[in-house]
Amino acid sequence: MKYMNARDILPESLICQIQRYIQGGMLYIPNQAEQRAGWGSKSGSSAQLQRRNRQIHAMYQAGEDIHTLAQTFFLSTDSVRKIIQKERQRERAAG
């Protein structure tokens, strides 16, 4: 995210309107909906989590128990169960 001074880019009338709600603070203005990238798509975080979740599921299918997976991946057992359930659903949907 890049910091910009409102006075450099916005008309004075708009600045006055914004100042009714916030003065001297920082304001985040998101991209328009159609221009927004999905969470983690730019940083690669989403793809990394997908790979991790598929690895967890594959290890579970190979016989690894949930408690060991939780310790290995620093997750709660509930999180591991949810990942396994979602991966099963994803596989069924893929056919």
Side-chain angles (χ1 to χ4, degrees):
M1 181 171 29
K2 185 169 76 172
Y3 172 81
M4 291 183 264
N5 188 321
R7 295 204 187 283
D8 294 339
I9 57 172
L10 300 175
E12 189 64 31
S13 60
L14 182 54
I15 292 171
C16 289
Q17 289 291 317
I18 294 170
Q19 285 173 331
R20 290 182 176 182
Y21 302 95
I22 183 171
Q23 290 189 30
M26 295 183 73
L27 175 67
Y28 172 73
I29 301 175
N31 289 334
Q32 293 178 349
E34 65 271 3
Q35 295 177 349
R36 290 184 69 180
W39 177 88
S41 63
K42 288 184 179 181
S43 68
S45 296
S46 177
Q48 184 179 6
L49 285 176
Q50 286 176 2
R51 283 191 300 274
R52 182 207 64 185
N53 292 351
R54 288 181 181 145
Q55 181 182 8
I56 288 170
H57 187 240
M59 290 172 72
Y60 179 76
Q61 287 181 317
E64 200 66 64
D65 67 274
I66 288 176
H67 294 284
T68 302
L69 290 169
Q71 290 176 340
T72 301
F73 290 94
F74 304 99
L75 297 168
S76 69
T77 55
D78 286 341
S79 293
V80 172
R81 284 186 184 97
K82 288 175 187 176
I83 289 167
I84 292 167
Q85 181 181 16
K86 286 182 181 180
E87 286 300 308
R88 282 182 185 156
Q89 291 171 352
R90 186 189 58 79
E91 281 185 347
R92 287 184 194 136

